[in-house]
């Protein structure tokens, strides 16, 4: 038990500010990490230091990079950078799933949705190539007649990867003050494509967001997330280690070294696994101290799955501080809009998504 009891949301104006902050934070954090997704920590650190952007404190732009810096990198950084400002945030699975949960799942099935409804939603919402790794395997399994939870297991070597964790935010958004319910909804979603820690990461994030909507205590928020997953799990134990290091006054860099020593970013299975990425999220939250730019910067500069971790940290911190607390330099880059690959949705405004979220908060089922 987390010890976090369901709490009533604050007044309508305040909760709307928080929800908008979560949406803006998720998009901003994703955009910050997007150009360097897949890069090694060594090259990422080199690029940031060479461009006067370490610790990471602003969007990486092509204009930051000299030909000399580019030539020293094996990572195709020149082809991955996005010039800011953009007309809208570009398509990314880290935002697609959050929008899909709002527009195609909860809006159709309500909070009483079941795992099979998520499968139906996926089949009806995007083409196969919009899904990656565990999600693509599950999608193919749906087409071939497998239903959850069998769809998560059959020929799916990615079933503890980060996919379910990046899909979990919306369940926290619509369950303010109720981490247990948020984790339950995240479990239903995650179970169609993931098992064990792949599911626990989703529950952890959803519960943290539900708590973040009524709390400003980061440690309380992280413990609310831990309270909804098995204490015998590897995820619980490793996050507890990060908490312990923070309490014992270890530095942020100490935590990141520990993570990189335990999980090898050069191994694809480790790089995209739920646990090391969830650990980076926890460390960035603890050491970011609710400074939005610092928090998403720490998440991205730590390597592993940079856009996923930036998005999750941005979402949680954005929920705590609200849209009014996020510096405009982060949000002006995408003009309050996000592009998706979701059928009949396309490009959507953050304000529309916020209004839909408020509607869904009020649903009983």
């Amino acid at each position: 038990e987390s010890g976090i009891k369901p709490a009533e949301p604050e007044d309508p104006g305040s909760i709307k500010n928080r929800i908008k902050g979560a949406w803006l934070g998720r998009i901003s954090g994703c955009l910050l990490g997007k150009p360097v997704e897949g890069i090694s920590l060594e090259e990422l650190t080199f690029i940031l230091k060479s461009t006067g952007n370490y610790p990471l404190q602003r969007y990486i732009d092509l204009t930051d990079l000299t030909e000399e810096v580019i030539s020293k990198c094996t990572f195709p950084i020149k082809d991955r950078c996005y010039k800011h400002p953009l007309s809208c945030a570009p398509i990314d699975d880290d935002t697609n799933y959050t929008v899909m949960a709002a527009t195609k799942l909860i809006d159709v099935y309500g909070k009483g949705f079941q795992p099979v409804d998520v499968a139906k939603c996926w089949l009806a919402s995007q083409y196969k190539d919009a899904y990656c790794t565990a999600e693509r395997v599950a999608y193919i399994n749906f087409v071939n007649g497998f239903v959850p939870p069998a769809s998560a297991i059959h020929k799916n070597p990615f079933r503890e990867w980060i996919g379910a964790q990046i899909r979990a935010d919306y369940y926290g958004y619509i369950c303010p003050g109720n981490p247990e319910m948020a984790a339950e909804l995240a479990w239903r979603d995650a179970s169609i494509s993931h098992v064990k820690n792949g599911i626990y990461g989703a529950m952890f994030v959803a519960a943290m967001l539900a708590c973040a909507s009524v709390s400003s205590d980061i440690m309380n928020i992280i413990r609310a997330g831990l309270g909804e997953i098995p204490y015998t799990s590897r995820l619980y134990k490793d996050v507890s280690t990060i908490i312990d290091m923070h309490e014992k006054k270890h530095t942020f860099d100490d935590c990141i070294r520990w993570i990189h020593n335990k999980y090898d970013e050069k191994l694809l299975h480790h790089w995209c696994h739920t646990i090391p990425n969830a650990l980076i999220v926890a460390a960035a939250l603890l050491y970011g101290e609710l400074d939005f730019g610092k928090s998403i910067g720490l998440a991205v500069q730590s390597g592993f799955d940079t856009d996923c971790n930036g998005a999750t940290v941005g979402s949680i911190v954005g929920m705590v501080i609200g849209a009014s607390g996020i510096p405009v330099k982060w949000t002006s880059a995408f003009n309050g809009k996000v592009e998706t690959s979701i059928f009949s949705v396309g490009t959507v405004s953050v304000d529309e998504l916020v209004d839909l979220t408020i509607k869904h908060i009020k649903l009983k089922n």
Side-chain angles (χ1 to χ4, degrees):
E1 292 294 331
S2 66
I4 309 297
K5 302 301 181 185
E8 287 299 315
E10 303 171 34
D11 67 87
S14 178
I15 194 65
K16 188 170 184 177
N17 181 47
R18 284 184 182 248
I19 293 296
K20 186 172 184 177
W23 276 107
L24 291 173
R26 180 158 194 79
I27 297 167
S28 300
C30 174
L31 201 54
L32 180 63
K34 191 174 179 68
V36 290
E37 181 183 13
I39 197 172
S40 69
L41 180 62
E42 181 181 6
E43 284 202 349
L44 175 56
T45 304
F46 165 73
I47 289 169
L48 297 180
K49 288 185 175 179
S50 297
T51 56
N53 195 11
Y54 189 90
L56 182 55
Q57 57 198 294
R58 65 179 186 275
Y59 286 119
I60 303 166
D61 205 327
L62 192 57
T63 57
D64 285 338
L65 302 168
T66 64
E67 287 301 323
E68 181 183 5
V69 170
I70 293 169
S71 69
K72 291 181 179 179
C73 295
T74 58
F75 184 80
I77 187 68
K78 187 174 183 179
D79 302 325
R80 297 292 298 276
C81 286
Y82 294 86
K83 187 168 179 59
H84 303 284
L86 302 162
S87 60
C88 63
I91 294 171
D92 194 284
D93 56 353
D94 290 281
T95 47
N96 270 344
Y97 286 119
T98 320
V99 176
M100 193 194 305
T103 60
K104 297 292 187 177
L105 183 66
I106 301 299
D107 210 48
V108 174
Y109 298 100
K111 291 178 181 175
F113 75 88
Q114 295 302 309
V116 69
D117 298 323
V118 185
K120 292 175 184 176
C121 173
W122 284 19
L123 290 170
S125 298
Q126 294 187 116
Y127 57 91
K128 175 179 67 70
D129 288 350
Y131 300 93
C132 302
T133 63
E135 286 71 25
R136 187 177 297 179
V137 172
Y139 184 100
I140 293 169
N141 285 342
F142 305 151
V143 173
N144 288 327
F146 290 88
V147 296
S151 55
I153 301 169
H154 183 67
K155 295 185 177 180
N156 189 356
F158 316 112
R159 57 191 181 264
E160 279 197 298
W161 283 22
I162 198 174
Q165 182 165 290
I166 70 171
R167 305 194 320 247
D169 284 44
Y170 198 67
Y171 308 119
Y173 292 3
I174 61 174
C175 297
N178 194 340
E180 183 176 359
M181 174 59 77
E184 161 70 16
L185 300 186
W187 175 86
R188 291 184 216 161
D189 178 304
S191 66
I192 73 170
S193 57
H194 286 71
V195 300
K196 297 182 179 179
N197 292 281
I199 294 177
Y200 307 150
M203 298 171 71
F204 175 58
V205 166
M208 283 196 289
L209 276 157
C211 184
S213 66
V214 296
S215 175
S216 58
D217 183 329
I218 281 294
M219 186 64 78
N220 188 51
I221 290 166
I222 294 173
R223 292 197 183 281
L226 285 180
E228 299 302 332
I229 68 173
Y231 73 91
T232 55
S233 66
R234 286 167 286 148
L235 177 60
Y236 188 104
K237 291 176 180 177
D238 280 358
V239 172
S240 297
T241 296
I242 296 297
I243 291 173
D244 186 59
M245 292 180 73
H246 179 262
E247 290 179 337
K248 290 180 177 176
K249 308 301 182 186
H250 287 270
T251 66
F252 178 77
D253 288 343
D254 290 338
C255 292
I256 299 307
R257 274 192 295 270
W258 183 85
I259 295 167
H260 276 267
N261 284 335
K262 184 163 186 177
Y263 297 94
D264 186 353
E265 66 176 355
K266 296 182 178 65
L267 298 177
L268 184 60
H269 184 62
H270 281 196
W271 177 82
C272 212
H273 198 279
T274 293
I275 296 177
N277 290 292
L279 297 180
I280 287 172
V281 167
L285 290 172
L286 287 169
Y287 290 87
E289 300 174 319
L290 294 181
D291 178 313
F292 183 80
K294 180 180 179 182
S295 298
I296 62 172
L298 290 176
V300 170
Q301 75 179 47
S302 301
F304 283 92
D305 204 334
T306 51
D307 61 335
C308 293
N309 299 334
T312 300
V313 169
S315 186
I316 294 169
V317 176
M319 180 69 88
V320 175
I321 65 176
S324 59
I326 300 177
V328 70
K329 74 172 185 177
W330 297 109
T331 56
S332 62
F334 50 90
N335 295 310
K337 295 181 293 183
V338 60
E339 185 181 5
T340 77
S341 56
I342 303 167
F343 303 148
S344 78
V345 174
T347 300
V348 62
S349 77
V350 171
D351 285 338
E352 289 178 67
L353 294 168
V354 171
D355 288 342
L356 191 57
T357 307
I358 297 300
K359 169 188 166 185
H360 293 160
I361 287 172
K362 298 174 183 176
L363 292 174
K364 298 299 181 183
N365 203 350

